[in-house]
């Protein structure tokens, strides 16, 4: 609130300040300024990141926020370096939880391709229709491709995400419509689709160190060493690992779909890069 002081009152005030300052050293204006700046920085609220804003969007589907605590999508997307304007493939997108977050981050100048297949659509129920119906996410394209039928354009993506699905590359379940995937051919297709320097982000459930790839069939987990070996054999370079989704209390012998463990498994987050 602005206040006006009479000239006489202002003069008296200045005199009082001068008297109070007599006999004291002049203030250290440099340190005072630094202190004020530090104090301002301490109380100023941090600007929300593009990832926090994507997660906080009020347009997200009901129930998405309930998954956030276990998935920490803002931290994962920041670690992977997803940025506005990117073209991103969300592989095995399922119900599209991450596809919508990617849509929010890449913005109007970017695009997202959400891949799915019949097996995943059966698994997620009506979430797919709720997420993508009525052109709800205008910068997201849907791509349907069954196992071993994936065909991608060369140099078309800046990033690929595989969330809780790499272990499905070893899954063999024809009774439920899941033909075993030719992993080398699949990874070669992803490699081709990435622009030089593009990244692949992989999130999956930890299996015991040294566990065979068959853990993907039994408990739906995979040893990250298998992922790293397969990705490097496909030509990708390991570019980083985040510990943001670790849970030291997880029991690797248990199926990740068991009710009391679902959404709480110990998970690794790996980032790979296509050289160039």
């Amino acid at each position: 609130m602005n206040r006006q002081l009479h000239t006489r009152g202002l003069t008296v005030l200045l005199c009082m300040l001068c008297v109070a300052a007599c006999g004291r050293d002049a203030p250290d204006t440099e340190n005072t300024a630094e202190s004020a700046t530090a104090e301002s920085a301490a109380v100023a609220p941090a600007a929300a990141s593009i990832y926090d804003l994507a997660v906080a969007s009020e347009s997200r589907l009901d129930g998405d926020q309930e998954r956030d605590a276990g998935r920490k999508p803002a931290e994962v997307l920041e670690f992977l370096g997803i940025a506005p304007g990117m073209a991103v493939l969300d592989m095995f997108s399922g119900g599209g939880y991450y596809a919508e977050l990617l849509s929010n981050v890449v913005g109007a100048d970017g695009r997202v391709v959400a891949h799915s297949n019949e097996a995943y659509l059966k698994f997620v129920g009506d979430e797919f229709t709720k997420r993508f119906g009525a052109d709800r996410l205008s910068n997201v394209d849907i791509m349907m491709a069954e196992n071993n039928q994936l065909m991608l354009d060369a140099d078309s993506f800046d990033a690929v995400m595989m969330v809780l699905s790499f272990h499905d590359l070893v899954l063999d379940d024809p009774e439920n419509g899941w033909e075993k995937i030719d992993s080398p051919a699949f990874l070669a297709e992803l490699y081709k689709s990435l622009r030089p320097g593009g990244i692949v982000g992989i999130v999956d459930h930890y299996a015991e160190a040294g566990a065979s790839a068959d853990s993907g069939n039994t408990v739906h987990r995979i040893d990250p060493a298998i992922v790293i070996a397969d990705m490097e054999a496909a030509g990708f370079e390991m570019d980083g690992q985040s510990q943001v989704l670790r849970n030291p209390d997880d029991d690797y012998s248990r199926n990740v779909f068991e009710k009391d463990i679902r959404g709480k498994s110990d998970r690794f987050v790996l980032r790979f890069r296509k050289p160039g």
Side-chain angles (χ1 to χ4, degrees):
M1 180 174 64
N2 294 326
R3 296 180 178 175
Q4 294 182 342
L5 298 176
H6 293 294
T7 302
R8 180 177 178 184
L10 179 58
T11 302
V12 172
L13 177 61
L14 291 173
C15 290
M16 291 173 64
L17 291 174
C18 289
V19 171
C22 289
R24 296 189 313 191
D25 294 332
D28 186 341
T29 56
E30 182 177 351
N31 288 339
T32 301
E34 290 178 355
S35 298
T37 301
E39 183 177 352
S40 298
V43 300
S49 71
I50 57 174
Y51 312 104
D52 292 328
L53 292 173
V55 171
S57 172
E58 295 182 357
S59 65
R60 297 176 69 201
L61 293 185
D62 291 341
D64 280 357
Q65 290 81 1
E66 296 175 9
R67 305 187 211 178
D68 293 343
R71 295 193 171 196
K72 299 183 180 178
E75 291 91 332
V76 170
L77 292 173
E78 182 173 13
F79 169 73
L80 297 179
I82 306 302
M86 276 187 169
V88 184
L89 169 62
D90 185 16
M91 195 70 213
F92 300 111
S93 178
Y97 169 91
Y98 257 107
E100 179 158 353
L101 292 167
L102 290 166
S103 169
N104 292 340
V105 172
V106 303
D109 293 331
R111 70 183 181 97
V112 176
V113 174
H115 162 267
S116 196
N117 59 23
E118 290 298 328
Y120 263 84
L121 289 185
K122 291 177 182 178
F123 181 76
V124 301
D126 64 356
E127 182 183 351
F128 182 90
T129 303
K130 291 179 180 178
R131 181 88 58 189
F132 300 114
D135 197 29
R136 182 173 167 273
L137 302 174
S138 60
N139 62 347
V140 177
D141 296 322
I142 306 301
M143 178 179 67
M144 295 295 294
E146 297 305 315
N147 294 357
N148 300 314
Q149 296 180 17
L150 183 67
M151 297 181 64
L152 303 171
D153 293 334
D155 301 324
S156 54
F157 296 109
D158 300 296
V160 176
M161 286 192 68
M162 291 185 65
V163 180
L164 307 181
S165 60
F166 196 97
H167 68 270
D168 286 335
L169 298 187
V170 302
L171 183 63
D172 188 7
D173 189 10
E175 291 183 0
N176 291 301
W178 191 270
E179 178 187 3
K180 190 176 186 308
I181 294 174
D182 181 345
S183 294
F186 172 87
L187 295 178
E189 199 69 22
L190 292 189
Y191 188 92
K192 180 187 76 174
S193 75
L194 276 172
R195 295 165 183 152
I199 64 103
V200 179
I202 297 175
V203 180
D204 219 324
H205 313 276
Y206 270 98
E208 290 282 359
S212 72
D214 191 55
S215 60
N217 271 306
T218 56
V219 289
H220 298 277
R221 298 173 180 268
I222 191 165
D223 181 354
I226 295 175
V227 178
I228 294 170
D230 286 354
M231 291 294 287
E232 290 182 342
F236 295 100
E237 297 176 347
M238 178 72 172
D239 193 54
Q241 179 169 2
S242 171
Q243 306 296 322
V244 69
L245 298 180
R246 297 305 308 267
N247 176 12
D249 298 324
D250 188 17
D251 180 353
Y252 295 164
S253 69
R254 298 182 62 190
N255 190 309
V256 298
F257 293 117
E258 292 181 35
K259 186 176 180 180
D260 64 326
I261 199 173
R262 189 168 183 176
K264 302 175 184 177
S265 63
D266 189 17
R267 279 160 282 169
F268 54 86
V269 185
L270 304 177
R271 184 178 64 231
F272 296 89
R273 192 172 298 276
K274 179 178 179 177

